[in-house]
Structures are given as C-alpha cells and as structure tokens.
Amino acid sequence: MILLRPRSISGVLNLLILIAVLPIVGIIIHSSIEQQQHHIKDAEREVMLITRSMTEVLSNITDSIKQTLITLASIEAIGTVQVDAASAVIRSICAQNPRILSMSLTSPEGTVLAASKPFAPGLSLADRKHVQQAVATGRFSVGEYIVTRIGETRASFSYAYPIHAPDGSVAAVLTAVLYLDSVSGFLDLSSLPEGSFMALTDHQGLRILYYPPSETNPIGAKIRAPAWEIARNTNGALLFRQQGSDGVERIFAVEPLRLAPDEAPYLYAWAGIPEKLVLAPVNRTLSRNLLLAGLVTLLAMAAARLLGDLAFVKPIRRLVAVTGRLADGNLTARSGLRSGNGEIGVLAAAFDRMGDSLQQNRDRLQQQQIHLEEAQRIAHIGSWEWNSATDSFTCSKELYHILAREQSAPPPPLASCLEHFTGESLEQLRTAMDYALATGNDFELELPCVRADATPCWLVIRGEKSGETTLRGTVLDISARKQAESERQTLQEQLLHAQKLESIGRLAGGVAHDFNNMLGVILGYTELSLDKLPHTDPVRGHLQEVQTAASRSRDLVSKLLAFARRQTATPHLLDLNQTVSSLLTMLQRMIGEEIELVFKPGAQLWPVVIDPGQVDQLLANFCVNARDAISGSGQITIETASVTVLEPRLCGPEICPPGDYVQLRISDTGCGMDPDTLRQIFDPFFTTKAVGKGTGLGLSTVFGIIKQNNGFIDVASTPAHGTIFTIFLPRNREKTDDLRT
C-alpha cells in the first residue's frame, strides 16, 4: 500500500501512527480472547448441564420401567406364568402407560407367551440383547436400538426383567419396549440454545434420539467414527471440540449411562453447541472495537498525510524533482524554496548552492573538453580506453574522425574498432595489448589500417596499463607523413631514372652523332660506286646490300638522336586534328585490315608547336606496338582534346605541372602489360618482343620526342585489358596565322 510505504515521509508518519495504535489493538484483541475463553467455558458448562439433565431423565425412565417390571413380576398371574391372566395384566398396564410401546412375557428360550399387542404364534425374541442378558445374568437388563416385532413396527428401546422360579432359575422374562420418539417428552427442550442439539446412542453408537430432527443425523444410523471413538473410550462425562456431520464446528459433551458402575454403558447422552454461536457476541464486539480503532487510525493517517504533504512531502518532492533535473544535465534547475522554512529550507539552499557549483564545474569541464578536442584535432591525435573485464571501449571525437566513423552512443565495442586492422597488423596490436595487460609494460606500434570509408592510412598507436583490467592510450594519424615519405621516395626514384636516361641519352647521342657521320661517308661512297658499275656487275648486289644496311643503320641512329634530343627538328604550329587525319591512311596500311583504326578528334582543339615528322614518328611507333599487342582482330583508338590540369599530376616518371595542354590519347584492345613491364617500357633497348623482332628504342624515342617538345606522357595498362598512352603537349598561345597541318 502506498500509505504504508516506509520509504516515503507519509508512509513513515502512517507507520508511526500504526505503531501507536498497535497496543490498543492488542488490548482489544486480548480482551476479546479472554471473553471468548469465558464464553467457551460457559458453553462447556451449559452443554455439560444438558447432558447431565439427559442422563438424569433417562436414569429416572430406566428406574421407573425397572420398578414397573419388578412390580409386575410380583403379581401372581405373571410370577406363576399364567398366560391368559398375564396377558390381561400386561394390556392393562400398557393402557395406563401410553409411552410404553408394548410389554411381553417370554419363556427363558425367548418364545413370546403373552403380550400387550397381538403377535404371531411361536414368535421368538431369543436374538434380543435385553432377553439374552436377563436370562444370562438373572438381573434387570437394558437392550439396544430395535424395531419391534410385536404390534406396530416402530423404532424403540427395550428392557427386560427375569422372573425366577422357586429354585432360583429363570422361569420367564418380562420385557418392556419404549417409544424412542416419546423420549423427547421427558426432556426439557425449551432451554436448548439455537443451533444446538441433544442426542442418545446405544452401546453400539446407533442413534436412537436426535433433537431437533435432522436429515444428516437419521435415527438408527451410527454416529461419525471419530466422535464414537472418543465416547466409547471414556469412563465419565467428557468435553471435546469437533466438526459435526453437518460440517459445523461444535463444543460436544458426552456422558455414558450404566446400570451399575462395573457394567458397560447401555446409553450415551450427547449434546452440542455451535462454537460460532458461542463466539458470535464476542466476535461482534471485537469487530466493532476493531472497526472503531480502524476508523480512528484512518482519520489520524489522513491528518498525518495532509500535514506531512504540506510540511514535508511537497517541499521534498520539489527537491527530488530538482535533483532529477540536475541528474539529467539541467544544471540551471533550482528549488525555489525559501531558506526560512526550517530544516527543509536549509536543505533546499544547500541543493541550490550545489546546482551553482555543478554548473560552474560543468562549464569549466566543457571548456577544457573543447580545448582538448581542438588540440587533438590539430595534432591528429585521438585517445582511447578499454576495460577488458567488461569489454567497454571509449574513444575521443578525433579518433572517430581518424577512422572515418560516425560517432555513436554507446561507443562501439573493441572488436568493431579492430576491424580496421587486418592480417599481421591486427595480430601485432592484439599481442601488444594482451602483453601490456599481463606485464604492465607500455607499447608503441606503427601500423597500417583501413578507414571506414575504405581509404588506407597509417597510425601510431600507444598504450599503457591504467588499472587492473584497463588500458588507455593515444592514436596518432601519420598518413600525411607516410604519403610525403612515399612521394619523396617516388621522386627520388624518378630523379635517378631521369638521370640514368639523361646519361644514356648523352652517351647514345655522342655515339650516334659520330656514327651518323661515318654512315654518311659509307652511303656517299656506296652511291658513287653504284653509279659507276654496270647493272650486270656481280659486285653491284653486294654494294646494294651495304647501302641497305647503312640506310637501316641511319634510321637507327636517327632514333638514338631523337632519344638523346639531338635530332634536328623543325617545329611548326600545328592543328593535331588535321595532322592525324592526314596520317590515317598510312597508319591503317601499317596495322592491317583486321584491326580497326578509330579517330575521335576533339572540338576546338588548341594549337601546338611540334615537328610534323615527329608526330608521324610518334603515331607510327604507338600503332606498331598496338598492332603487335593485338592477337587477331581488335581496335586502336586515337583521341585528341584540350584539357586544363588544375593540380600537379604524376605522368610516368615525371610530374606534370598545372596548365593548358593538348591531349593525344592512343588506346588499344591488346594484351596489356603487368606492373613490372610498365616500369621499364621507356628504358632504352627494353623490349618484350622476340630476339631480332625489335630494337627496344621505339618507346624510348617517343619519350625523347615528347621531352624535346616539353611534353609529358602517362601510360595505364592491365593484363588482358589493353593499354592507354596519354600525351600532354603544351598549348601554344601565339597567333595561329602560320598554322600547318
């Protein structure tokens, strides 16, 4: 019940009232118990009086019948067993005593000789208990519950008196039978309390009288076994409590009747008063007193609740509400109670001061948190803490940012954060954390991981043991440093590669220049010799082979000079769309009919300055390489476009700076190249073709021509997916009046 809840002030006040009322209730209950005991004692006395009066009445009836039988036995007609005369006497006596049902005179063997009622000749009463006992003992005897055989068949109780012969033997037995329904006429029934009863049972426990009559207690039926066991084992009057056959709890009294103290009882007198009836007045008084006490208690509790609400509950509820708002983070909440309201007011003032202090502390903590978050953001350092016992993992805002995760509440479990690490990195981190927990040693690891947005990064993870099962530490994002180191290493490699190419170019240029001069002499003298020899001269064929080999060598020297940027070039202002269009027929013949050549000219293409012959050489090299990479049918696509590079971009081994460029793109559907091949394609004399099928100077020459014209080249290729070469030539901003095709 809410009124009795001991954790509330109203409940405490009510509990105090109840404690004060309890002694009164105890006195009322104790008094009622004493009254109950008194009433029970009175009821026990009353029920004993009822049974005593019954035994006295029944003893008088028995004595009266005994005296009557003794008197009759002294009459000569009966004493000498004169049947006719005895019959007349018996009928006369029964007429004078209507309560006696019948009388009879029997032989010792039980044969009826005379009777007050008509009887069948030869009728025997030898099986009757009263006849048997009278013959056996020679004394007055009492029978049991019977249904008469003489005259009317009615429930009765019998008596017998033996008539002795002069020699002392039993000559006859005089019997009397009493109506059981007439016994109640001898008893005082007016004083019987409501709901009570009186009853008689014979020596077998058969009910021979029950008043008031009841269907649950029929005459001639045996009483309930528990009650009979109590009665038959008693020597005198006895009191006990038990449930009757009608289910009502009663106070019982039973008293046996004996003809002589040493004989077994022949009757039992019973009486019972309902216990509920006995206790009813006491219970009514108790209920009334308890009701009054309850009403007084409720009034006192209501008054206490009203006063408690005004003086304590409402102020404390306001304080509880303020505490709840403070706990929810509303540190501006105040009680509003005046400090003059006694102890409650003092408590309210203390709460308000606590709220002021909490608000100031929270403001300072928030400012410190902001400074810490800003410091972590600037330094790219996140913090974390992990409790291995509860597997609770908390991390700072910057760590969420480093891992590209959305900040969640509650924080993600450790297993979720470890998903950013794989393979060896994950194993190193787990081992370091377990070792730190076991030994207390700090750890620092530099590990790669993958952010939630699938971008790679590098982290420096530090940790230390801060508790029995707790680790804490920091995470530093060093991705920018790692990227700078990678770019620096790439630039270093590109520089070394460029220096190597420059050295090779210088060497090749010097050799090619000298070799070109010698080839000029060889070709000149070969032509002079051919001009002087007749067409039929056998030496002419040898000279023609020399001339062919020298011409091929001159072409090779030309490529070396182009690679070394020493080839004499005549740059012109060109429109690449027109230049490429003029070369399509020649290029198609070069690659064959099975390969489709597609040209996609860019709109409003910017002009460039380059030697037209070098353009021919570029396209020829690209198309020949593409043709060799295509097995069967395929496609080669040439595209042009005007592009603006906004940020520096890596093009092969060099960096293409921002600016306007004309883009020449050559792509094919050939076999493509793996990364190892891509790294070497511009190296002089590197070729993937069979021996004797290539010189390895084609793309080296292309690279030299592009660098000679201040351009850049990029290549992208995947095995089985073809290759794309992209050339960036600087846009020419001069007048286009001298534009050539």
Side-chain angles (χ1 to χ4, degrees), residues 5 25 43 88 91 228 282 295 432 447 525 530 545 564 585 618 629 636 643 724:
R5 189 170 54 198
V25 174
R91 284 195 293 270
W228 175 239
V282 179
L295 289 175
L447 301 173
Y525 280 105
L530 287 173
E545 288 297 327
T585 303
L618 288 175
I636 300 174
V643 298
I724 301 174

Short mmCIF file of all heavy atoms in Angstrom, two decimals, residues 5 25 43 88 91 228 282 295 432 447 525 530 545 564 585 618 629 636 643 724:
data_model
loop_
_atom_site.label_atom_id
_atom_site.label_comp_id
_atom_site.label_asym_id
_atom_site.label_seq_id
_atom_site.Cartn_x
_atom_site.Cartn_y
_atom_site.Cartn_z
N ARG A 5 4.07 2.85 2.63
CA ARG A 5 5.39 2.69 2.04
C ARG A 5 6.42 3.35 2.94
O ARG A 5 6.44 4.57 3.10
CB ARG A 5 5.39 3.33 0.65
CG ARG A 5 6.65 3.04 -0.16
CD ARG A 5 6.44 3.50 -1.59
NE ARG A 5 6.03 4.89 -1.62
CZ ARG A 5 5.46 5.46 -2.68
NH1 ARG A 5 5.20 4.74 -3.74
NH2 ARG A 5 5.13 6.73 -2.64
N VAL A 25 -4.94 -1.98 19.76
CA VAL A 25 -5.49 -3.14 19.06
C VAL A 25 -5.16 -4.41 19.81
O VAL A 25 -5.99 -5.33 19.94
CB VAL A 25 -4.95 -3.19 17.61
CG1 VAL A 25 -5.40 -4.46 16.91
CG2 VAL A 25 -5.40 -1.97 16.84
N ALA A 43 -20.21 -22.08 27.71
CA ALA A 43 -20.85 -23.03 26.80
C ALA A 43 -20.55 -24.47 27.22
O ALA A 43 -21.41 -25.35 27.12
CB ALA A 43 -20.36 -22.78 25.37
N ALA A 88 -53.79 -60.20 30.28
CA ALA A 88 -54.73 -59.16 30.67
C ALA A 88 -54.03 -58.10 31.51
O ALA A 88 -54.26 -56.89 31.34
CB ALA A 88 -55.89 -59.79 31.44
N ARG A 91 -51.79 -55.89 29.25
CA ARG A 91 -52.54 -54.94 28.43
C ARG A 91 -53.05 -53.80 29.30
O ARG A 91 -53.06 -52.63 28.88
CB ARG A 91 -53.69 -55.65 27.73
CG ARG A 91 -53.24 -56.49 26.53
CD ARG A 91 -54.43 -56.88 25.66
NE ARG A 91 -55.30 -57.80 26.38
CZ ARG A 91 -55.20 -59.12 26.37
NH1 ARG A 91 -54.22 -59.69 25.68
NH2 ARG A 91 -56.04 -59.88 27.06
N TRP A 228 -17.49 -41.31 17.94
CA TRP A 228 -17.79 -42.57 18.65
C TRP A 228 -16.54 -43.11 19.34
O TRP A 228 -16.61 -43.63 20.46
CB TRP A 228 -18.37 -43.58 17.66
CG TRP A 228 -18.59 -44.94 18.27
CD1 TRP A 228 -18.05 -46.11 17.86
CD2 TRP A 228 -19.42 -45.25 19.39
NE1 TRP A 228 -18.48 -47.15 18.65
CE2 TRP A 228 -19.33 -46.64 19.60
CE3 TRP A 228 -20.22 -44.50 20.24
CZ2 TRP A 228 -20.01 -47.29 20.62
CZ3 TRP A 228 -20.90 -45.14 21.26
CH2 TRP A 228 -20.80 -46.52 21.45
N VAL A 282 -18.92 -12.21 21.19
CA VAL A 282 -17.55 -11.71 21.36
C VAL A 282 -17.00 -11.19 20.04
O VAL A 282 -16.37 -10.13 19.97
CB VAL A 282 -16.65 -12.81 21.94
CG1 VAL A 282 -15.22 -12.30 22.11
CG2 VAL A 282 -17.20 -13.30 23.26
N LEU A 295 -11.15 3.15 12.14
CA LEU A 295 -11.62 4.47 11.71
C LEU A 295 -10.77 5.57 12.34
O LEU A 295 -10.38 6.54 11.66
CB LEU A 295 -13.08 4.64 12.10
CG LEU A 295 -14.09 3.81 11.30
CD1 LEU A 295 -15.49 3.98 11.86
CD2 LEU A 295 -14.07 4.20 9.82
N ALA A 432 50.27 -6.90 -28.48
CA ALA A 432 50.77 -5.80 -27.66
C ALA A 432 49.81 -5.46 -26.53
O ALA A 432 50.22 -5.21 -25.39
CB ALA A 432 51.02 -4.58 -28.54
N LEU A 447 51.32 1.10 -37.44
CA LEU A 447 50.59 0.08 -38.18
C LEU A 447 49.76 0.70 -39.29
O LEU A 447 49.21 1.79 -39.14
CB LEU A 447 49.65 -0.70 -37.25
CG LEU A 447 50.29 -1.43 -36.07
CD1 LEU A 447 49.20 -2.01 -35.19
CD2 LEU A 447 51.21 -2.53 -36.58
N TYR A 525 79.98 6.99 -100.63
CA TYR A 525 80.86 6.20 -101.47
C TYR A 525 80.11 5.03 -102.10
O TYR A 525 80.43 4.60 -103.22
CB TYR A 525 82.07 5.70 -100.67
CG TYR A 525 83.15 6.76 -100.50
CD1 TYR A 525 83.33 7.41 -99.28
CD2 TYR A 525 83.99 7.10 -101.58
CE1 TYR A 525 84.29 8.39 -99.12
CE2 TYR A 525 84.97 8.07 -101.42
CZ TYR A 525 85.11 8.71 -100.21
OH TYR A 525 86.07 9.67 -100.06
N LEU A 530 77.96 2.62 -107.02
CA LEU A 530 76.83 2.05 -107.77
C LEU A 530 76.61 2.80 -109.08
O LEU A 530 76.22 2.21 -110.10
CB LEU A 530 75.55 2.09 -106.91
CG LEU A 530 75.48 1.08 -105.75
CD1 LEU A 530 74.25 1.36 -104.89
CD2 LEU A 530 75.42 -0.34 -106.30
N GLU A 545 73.47 -4.31 -100.87
CA GLU A 545 73.26 -4.80 -99.50
C GLU A 545 73.91 -3.87 -98.49
O GLU A 545 73.37 -3.60 -97.42
CB GLU A 545 73.84 -6.21 -99.35
CG GLU A 545 73.05 -7.28 -100.06
CD GLU A 545 71.65 -7.42 -99.50
OE1 GLU A 545 71.46 -7.22 -98.26
OE2 GLU A 545 70.72 -7.73 -100.27
N ALA A 564 68.12 11.07 -77.62
CA ALA A 564 69.08 11.96 -76.96
C ALA A 564 68.74 13.42 -77.17
O ALA A 564 69.45 14.29 -76.69
CB ALA A 564 70.49 11.69 -77.49
N THR A 585 45.39 7.04 -93.38
CA THR A 585 45.51 6.04 -94.45
C THR A 585 46.81 5.26 -94.31
O THR A 585 46.83 4.02 -94.40
CB THR A 585 45.43 6.72 -95.81
OG1 THR A 585 44.20 7.45 -95.90
CG2 THR A 585 45.48 5.69 -96.93
N LEU A 618 55.79 9.43 -83.75
CA LEU A 618 55.06 9.05 -82.54
C LEU A 618 53.93 8.07 -82.86
O LEU A 618 53.82 6.98 -82.27
CB LEU A 618 54.46 10.28 -81.86
CG LEU A 618 55.42 11.24 -81.14
CD1 LEU A 618 54.64 12.45 -80.64
CD2 LEU A 618 56.10 10.55 -79.99
N ALA A 629 50.54 -6.06 -80.06
CA ALA A 629 49.89 -6.50 -78.81
C ALA A 629 48.53 -7.12 -79.04
O ALA A 629 47.99 -7.78 -78.14
CB ALA A 629 49.76 -5.32 -77.85
N ILE A 636 42.21 0.08 -82.45
CA ILE A 636 43.12 1.12 -81.98
C ILE A 636 42.37 2.44 -82.10
O ILE A 636 41.81 2.76 -83.15
CB ILE A 636 44.42 1.17 -82.80
CG1 ILE A 636 45.16 -0.19 -82.70
CG2 ILE A 636 45.31 2.30 -82.32
CD1 ILE A 636 46.38 -0.27 -83.60
N VAL A 643 42.71 20.12 -72.67
CA VAL A 643 42.50 19.88 -71.24
C VAL A 643 43.27 20.91 -70.43
O VAL A 643 44.28 21.46 -70.90
CB VAL A 643 42.94 18.45 -70.84
CG1 VAL A 643 42.11 17.42 -71.56
CG2 VAL A 643 44.42 18.25 -71.11
N ILE A 724 46.63 2.23 -72.59
CA ILE A 724 46.28 3.60 -72.96
C ILE A 724 47.51 4.47 -72.74
O ILE A 724 48.04 4.54 -71.63
CB ILE A 724 45.10 4.12 -72.11
CG1 ILE A 724 43.86 3.24 -72.29
CG2 ILE A 724 44.77 5.56 -72.48
CD1 ILE A 724 42.72 3.62 -71.39
#
